[in-house]
Amino acid sequence: MYFLTGWPRRLLCPLRSEEEPFYIQPSSQRFYFAVLSETQLSIWFSRPSVLIVSYIESAKAAAQFGFYQKAEWKPDDSMIAVATAKGYILLFDVLGGGDDKYLYEPVYPKGSPRVKVTPGYKEEQCAPALSLEMKKPVDLEAPITSLQSLQEDLLVCTADGYLHVLHWDGLGSNGRKAICLTTIPFSLDLQSARGGPSLDLEGVHIRCMEYCVTLDGFAVVLSDGRLGFITPLSNIITADQLQGVWAADVTDGTCVAVNNKYRLMAFGCASGSVLVYMIDTTTGSMQLSHKLELTPKHYPDTYNKTGPVKLICWSPDYSVAMVTWECGGLSLWSVFGAHLICTLGEDFAYRSDGTKKDPIKISSMSWGAEGYHLWVIPNKQERRTQEEQQEEKEEGEEVEMVPPPQSSQQAGILQFHFIKSALTVNPCTSNQEQVLLHGEDRLYLTCGDPTQVHNTSDTHAHTHLHPHDSSPLHHPPNPESSLSQGLSTLLGHKHWHVVQIHSTYLESNWPIRFAAINTEGQCMAVAGRRGLAHYSLFTRKWKLFGNITQEQNMTVTGGLAWWKDFVVVACYNFIDQQEQLRLYQRSSNLDNAFASVTKLHSDTLLLNVFRDMVILFRADCSICLYSIERRNDSPNPTASVELLQEVSMSRYIPHPALVVSVTLTSVRTETGITLKAPQQACMAESIMLNLAGQLIMLHRDRSGPQVREKETPANNKKQLPFCPPVVLAQCVENVWTTCRSNRKKRHLLEALWLSCGEAGMKVWLPLFPRDHRKPHSFLSRRIMLPFHINIYPLAVLFEDALVLGASNETVLYDGLQGSSEPLEALFPFCTVERTSQIYLHHILRQLLVRNLGEQALMLAQSCASLPYFPHVMELMVHVVLEEEATSREPIPDPLLPTVAKFITEFPLFLQTIVHCARKTEYALWNYLFAAVGNPKDLFEGCLMARDLDTAASYLIILQNMEVPAVSRQHATLLFNTALEEGKWDLCRHMIRFLKAIGSGEMETPPPTPTTQEPSSSGGFEFFRNRSISLSQSADSITTGKFNLQKTFSMPTGPSAKGRDVECAENMYIDMMLWRHARHLLEQVRLRDLGCFSAQLGFELIGWLCRERNRVARVDDFVLALKRLHKDFLWPFPVIPVGSLSSPLKNGRCRTVLSTRLLKSQSADSLLNSDMDTAPPQAAPSNHTWLDGIGERTKDMDTASSAHSNQHSPQTHDAFLSLLTNKVEEYSIGSATDLTETSSVVDGDWTMVDENSSTLSLSQAELEHISMELANKGPHKSQVQLRYLLHVFMEAGCLEWCVVIGLILRDANVIKQVISFLDSPEVPAETVQSVRNGLLAVDTWASTDCLGYKPFLNLIQPHLQQLMDSVAEQVQPEAFQPASQSSKLSGSEGLGGATLPRPEDSRGAAAPLGMALPSQEPAGGFPRPPSEDCPPEQTEEQGDEEGAYDCTLS
């Protein structure tokens, strides 16, 4: 509503004086302020805030009259009355300084269009030169307690119990009446006035009095602390015509202030609270409406230590009241008691080091024009104690410009700056989804800016530190601000979009009185003293009247509103001297030539727009409805306005100024609300009138004969009359409705939203029968639901179920502290921040309390798609739980079971309950689960629903509520399910959790995950973090031995810590892991097994060694092969049609072609091959070259040629080593190093290029190559299969090696396995199983998958060897590798790739040199054996079979 901004400004009196001001009184328009010190009357101007004239009393007169005490202006600002200490009233004439006498006037640069101005225009922006002349004083012979100005009279209360009525002009004895207070009858209400109890007023006088225009009476505080209200029974104030009522039970009144717009009287009390009374219209008695008081909840230190209330000031628009106490401090409340600001707490009351500040004590205060400033005069002793400190401080301040020597005598006036909501003076709620605030020279909006996402340098309200550079202050806080409407922009950040009002308009038309924004939030309009201006966010430009005369000849009276792209204005035209309704088009120039003007018969007080209708409320208490229609017949589009209907309200409205807002709505009450007739939501069905806080509704009278719409032509359709008004609610400050409709969210869009001050908000919600059923006769059509809200509501987002508001934030600046602390440094710097709040849970709860569960369900289901719907549910459970579980008394009808039952209707039930429980203290859990169900059952429900993360949360609750055995049992269940689902993160947490339970940490929930957890980015870290050295010297080649040093992988991370201590616990976990691994292997889920091992650091090789002859057998080779094809997305091989005549059929051709390819320069594009699939030494030996090329399609997306492919250096190394015979030794660094192409590789390429030749492939060869490419699976699958092959080889699971060799179609693998089968350590059944398996595959391939036949033919010799070897063992020497010289010549049916060097003799069993691209997706696994584990001899090979060293460093 009203918000403090910045620091207060200090105004210093330029006149040297020993006296200091203590009283300030504004003129009726608040352009002038009378300031009193003991013998001096000064008049200040509001803008600029300067002293105009000062009248200093002579010493002789001061001795006669006494010091000045109070002042009062005549309503036309032509006189000032000053009350003095000795009972005199001094009257001063305020005289203008003649024609061209201005004290200050603006100076324009040469050539400015504003120099040639219209006559009378200059006064608007000059500070006038005034003079003061004292008239004859009036002696009232008693101390004066109160002054009150009426139209022609001045009322003076004196301490001898009299009320004097003085005439402003005729100050002789004829113009003076004195009424004794004792002659005024006082009673509790007007009905009992003649005979009821009356107050004894002997010796009592009026301490404070204020006149209320709309109540036509005086609110008084008597000297004994009683409160009263005196009504004149006739127009003339005489003793026998006054009647008083008094408020019962109050005896500590101190001061009073009346609110004319809402007919309220605010009485300050000695207790520190403010009692706000209204007059009951039927009985005439004073009734307490509400209290303004600090609550112990928000202000525990100060709420009862404020002292008596000293002053109350209503703002000029009567929407807020400022209160100050004897002990100091300022506090701001809205009219019906919503607390906005208090300077007795937080940064206002404490410095940043925690020390307490003394609150500022105030002797007088007054609001400035339109409420943009609060002028405050601090107490004298406040300033006296600080004079010395201020002396050096104020020399450097910019605003004063006072010579330093005088500063110690300077009197200070503080000016607090406020920005306020546009709703306070222009309550046209046609646009409800934007918040618009205006300060005296700028507008604050919440909407995002569609035109410039990048430049938000002006959206920061108070950060004008770097206006030109792009300092961090100005980076856009909301990246999605390009959306003009919607949640992201309205809620995206806390900053405002600030628009500076055009200075040219402002300097001649200050203050801004009205502001409006259009529905999209893209266009603003403002109106000041004269004329108007509008601004567009699209163009970032203001439009002003081109003709200043037109601007100065109109003043906006009834407000502004936007209709489509027109500004609708109710204004007064000074030339024609009549009221008009004008529409200005936004895109054309702001000129009366383009406006459509409609004459009005009476002054307009309020205006609003609904769809294509304008509603006006006029000073004769009538309401007019106009229709607007856009016309495009001329070059500039115009609008035509037509009067539809007039409704007189004079019977119901006692005074036109009491109407706060008027709104047309589509809200209906009677049976029209059904699901069948939503189209009537578009029509203007009712008028909402806020009459001094009472919301009155007039709806259309449909009781008469209804005319079918089709029968009447549209243009002469008669408007239906309105029924008599109905009161909907009391204490209403603002009303929001919308004219949009949405079938899915009818509850929210057809509701009426009210803001009711301290009572929070209310919503008048429609109740719909479900599924077109006939509504119950006893069920009302609508229901009013109150709910509390923590922010002051300024706008409602209907579909999003949000309220937008603003709040004051403060910033402390330490640099301003120290001994010389000026008064304004006592205050923190104030900013205004956007806030928002969800209200849906309040409404759902209210519906459930009223047994309207079906309506609540419909409403909740319509909002279930909102992003914060789960939060709404949690809040609802949480609030009800806190209230009921902490209640002292037993609750007869608890709501929590109903809420729990309600939430079960939604899929997020389990999640809501557990989130709520974990955010609630443990003591309340029993109450919660008694209502929602046993946590064990809920845990099982999560497992059934496969919601494992929620189940894990329940586990923590079970751990706290149950014995360890129960939580271990449930943890085991969850662990097994998580393993099954592959939720590895959760598995790691569960392992830790189970260990924690085992080690006796039952009391504390498991700690949060540590950084040592194996990361979930995939299993490839093994390669990333270790460098792999495969260097072999030539010696090892000649020795003919190879050593297999097998390593076991240990689980990494925290799980390895407590191994010795927690043996049993680890055994228990290991058993579960083994069981899961066995389960995966039985189901032939190799891919899952790899993931499982990599993610959980499972010792796969060691486990497989133990299980080699049990579960790690393959029963059905064909089934296993099919399952692998499916798991790894590996295509079954196909045979090209022309395979019989393929030029690549026999081995010799193949060899030649591969050599040509390798030598050729064009091989670049074909060699994106074995990047991650094989050890670099063995690339050709693991595949036919065609298999290598086959990888190319998978790499096409990373690069188009080997030169640009940053990921395949090893491929080049592999081929080129064979070409250039660089076979001595080389070492490959860690895989991360290998992702950059190294210079060695480039060198090798040059060698190839030297003997480059062109490559020509025949059609048939190309077809064959493309066919091979089609037979490859995804690159990632190939990496994973190679890794698994390595693992099975290490563990000696030879049957699996055969299956993987088959799917990879790698003859080397098959050959190696068959060679191992001859070893004496291999059990005979394994040999038999491999043999039978290969025969089964051969049979299957012959019938079902001919694509495997060429490969099976290729390995036929080895199969034959296997058949033979069942009978006799073959000598190990037979398997020594061929000599180096035969590398590129021998064919052996292997496609040119003959036996490799010794370290390759296990083929793909050593894929440790794979370069793994660092951007491998997270799903990959392997985590091969980790380092530092004892090498162990394998069972298949003894030392004599060759030395195989695999060092992992």
Side-chain angles (χ1 to χ4, degrees), residues 331 715 728 754 842 941 960 1119 1122 1272:
S331 188
N715 50 8
L728 291 185
L754 317 174
H842 294 299
N960 282 298
L1119 180 73
K1122 287 180 177 170
K1272 279 284 182 193

Side-chain angles (χ1 to χ4, degrees), residues 615-900:
I615 179 169
L616 302 179
F617 177 74
R618 307 192 303 195
D620 58 3
C621 293
S622 63
I623 291 173
C624 294
L625 301 182
Y626 290 86
S627 69
I628 327 176
E629 200 180 329
R630 190 189 170 100
R631 283 205 176 144
N632 291 323
D633 44 11
S634 62
N636 289 28
T638 56
S640 65
V641 178
E642 190 185 342
L643 178 66
L644 291 177
Q645 198 171 0
E646 285 194 44
V647 185
S648 171
M649 295 290 293
S650 50
R651 291 165 55 196
Y652 311 109
I653 297 176
H655 195 290
L658 294 174
V659 178
V660 180
S661 70
V662 60
T663 316
L664 264 178
T665 73
S666 52
V667 172
R668 304 188 53 184
T669 50
E670 78 280 27
T671 48
I673 296 185
T674 60
L675 281 174
K676 290 176 185 167
Q679 74 277 357
Q680 285 177 340
C682 310
M683 297 169 63
E685 284 297 325
S686 57
I687 295 173
M688 297 285 171
L689 210 67
N690 184 348
L691 176 66
Q694 270 197 338
L695 188 66
I696 294 176
M697 173 179 176
L698 297 89
H699 55 85
R700 298 258 187 212
D701 186 0
R702 295 187 177 274
S703 57
Q706 298 293 296
V707 183
R708 295 281 298 276
E709 288 192 13
K710 293 172 188 168
E711 296 167 9
T712 57
N715 50 8
N716 62 359
K717 197 197 314 183
K718 188 162 181 344
Q719 294 292 320
L720 287 168
F722 286 93
C723 301
V726 187
V727 176
L728 291 185
Q730 305 279 358
C731 300
V732 177
E733 290 181 9
N734 283 313
V735 185
W736 294 274
T737 63
T738 179
C739 52
R740 282 180 294 122
S741 57
N742 178 345
R743 282 304 290 269
K744 292 187 179 135
K745 295 191 178 174
R746 292 193 59 198
H747 277 96
L748 295 177
L749 280 170
E750 295 184 22
L752 187 71
W753 304 89
L754 317 174
S755 132
C756 300
E758 66 170 351
M761 286 188 77
K762 292 181 182 172
V763 56
W764 201 34
L765 201 68
L767 301 178
F768 299 111
R770 200 155 189 181
D771 314 323
H772 301 288
R773 273 185 253 149
K774 190 170 184 295
H776 296 298
S777 53
F778 59 84
L779 188 70
S780 70
R781 307 283 177 259
R782 279 180 178 270
I783 187 166
M784 188 72 81
L785 303 174
F787 59 92
H788 270 279
I789 189 166
N790 300 328
I791 64 175
Y792 189 86
L794 296 175
V796 177
L797 299 186
F798 301 96
E799 281 110 329
D800 299 316
L802 276 177
V803 172
L804 301 185
S807 66
N808 254 120
E809 299 293 326
T810 49
V811 187
L812 274 177
Y813 284 90
D814 288 348
L816 295 172
Q817 290 181 10
S819 58
S820 59
E821 197 173 50
L823 269 178
E824 53 273 48
L826 282 170
F827 287 89
F829 186 85
C830 295
T831 59
V832 183
E833 291 209 339
R834 298 163 49 171
T835 51
S836 58
Q837 199 176 328
I838 305 170
Y839 55 75
L840 196 57
H841 56 290
H842 294 299
I843 298 181
L844 295 174
R845 180 186 167 185
Q846 292 283 357
L847 288 169
L848 291 175
V849 167
R850 290 161 171 75
N851 287 327
L852 292 170
E854 195 176 63
Q855 298 290 329
L857 197 59
M858 285 164 70
L859 175 57
Q861 281 164 348
S862 72
C863 297
S865 58
L866 290 175
Y868 35 82
F869 186 70
H871 182 55
V872 169
M873 290 302 187
E874 273 178 55
L875 275 175
M876 182 156 78
V877 178
H878 185 77
V879 171
V880 175
L881 171 66
E882 290 268 319
E883 271 181 29
E884 295 188 356
T886 55
S887 162
R888 304 252 172 102
E889 284 79 38
I891 295 169
D893 187 17
L895 187 62
L896 193 60
T898 319
V899 171

